[in-house]
Amino acid sequence: GKVLKADGTAMKGARVTVLDNNEFGYTSTREDGGYDLAVNGGADLTLTFEQDGFMSVQRTEPIPWQDYVDIADVVMTPYDTKVTDIDENASIANDDSST
């Protein structure tokens, strides 16, 4: 498979792991965004894709015995830099104009 940025360019260095299966270790995406990861087949596995500054992505795929699977491209979206501070102690306005 490949990991891409929202603009369609390759994402180098994204971490790819198998959810709840630490024994499979991890891999990182190459310069072209591609990756390879050897796992035990015969079940559905959930791959997790992570990169600093981007929202993580998960994909669940059926993995057959003694075969390989080409996973569809994954697109990772960066966190928005526009931030709104919220005051947790602010009172909620009660707009009860129906009375």
Side-chain angles (χ1 to χ4, degrees), residues 20-34:
D20 298 330
N21 287 275
N22 294 336
E23 68 273 14
F24 294 136
Y26 70 93
T27 191
S28 297
T29 56
R30 299 182 297 269
E31 192 79 34
D32 66 353

Side-chain angles (χ1 to χ4, degrees), residues 25-62:
Y26 70 93
T27 191
S28 297
T29 56
R30 299 182 297 269
E31 192 79 34
D32 66 353
Y35 63 94
D36 300 294
L37 185 63
V39 298
N40 291 331
D44 288 355
L45 294 179
T46 300
L47 298 180
T48 301
F49 304 87
E50 299 172 297
Q51 176 73 302
D52 287 341
F54 291 79
M55 291 182 275
S56 63
V57 176
Q58 291 184 336
R59 293 287 184 267
T60 301
E61 295 288 333

